[in-house]
Amino acid sequence: MPGSKKWLEWYWPAFGMCILWLAIITFFVVDLAAKIGTCLGLSANVTGLTILAIGASLPDGLSSMIAARDNKCQMAICNAFGSNLFDILIGLGLPWLLSGLVHGDTVHVSVHSPLQFILATVVQSSLQ
């Protein structure tokens, strides 16, 4: 029965096993994505930005759809915006901040054409 003191001693071992399984499955997913990208002739950057982004965004999209079907539209919208904000601010901002603090360098991002920027933005937005 959940919340029972009988299972309290198994909390930390179960939590540790969950983290271990997540690490193992993540390793194999990333390795498989890299191999698929190599077979298709894609660079590691393209593979990371597309194949792995789909895998990271799919659960967010499904949970938003479930919330919308349950007439919890505000929850669905907040989930969509919140996950994107978290991905952009924490997923991109935190590594750049840490890199700047450790190496003391600034990170320059260049886009060669406005069309390339718009296309990348549309593709990334459609994955969410």
Side-chain angles (χ1 to χ4, degrees):
M1 172 176 277
S4 172
K5 293 188 185 227
K6 172 182 160 185
W7 297 106
L8 190 59
E9 65 188 38
W10 290 99
Y11 175 78
W12 288 108
F15 180 75
M17 287 303 296
C18 287
I19 298 298
L20 179 67
W21 275 110
L22 280 172
I24 291 169
I25 292 170
T26 301
F27 173 79
F28 285 115
V29 166
V30 171
D31 187 50
L32 182 64
K35 288 179 181 178
I36 290 171
T38 302
C39 290
L40 295 174
L42 301 173
S43 70
N45 293 336
V46 172
T47 302
L49 288 173
T50 55
I51 296 174
L52 295 178
I54 292 169
S57 300
L58 193 61
D60 292 333
L62 291 176
S63 63
S64 291
M65 286 174 35
I66 291 169
R69 284 184 187 162
D70 290 342
N71 290 329
K72 298 177 182 174
C73 299
Q74 290 179 346
M75 184 184 294
I77 293 170
C78 289
N79 183 28
F81 282 111
S83 67
N84 287 329
L85 284 173
F86 182 83
D87 291 344
I88 291 169
L89 297 176
I90 302 299
L92 289 175
L94 187 61
W96 282 359
L97 175 66
L98 294 176
S99 174
L101 292 175
V102 170
H103 300 293
D105 295 336
T106 57
V107 178
H108 298 283
V109 178
S110 62
V111 176
H112 300 292
S113 72
L115 182 62
Q116 182 183 19
F117 175 74
I118 292 170
L119 181 63
T121 305
V122 168
V123 168
Q124 181 62 29
S125 298
S126 67
L127 295 177
Q128 298 293 326

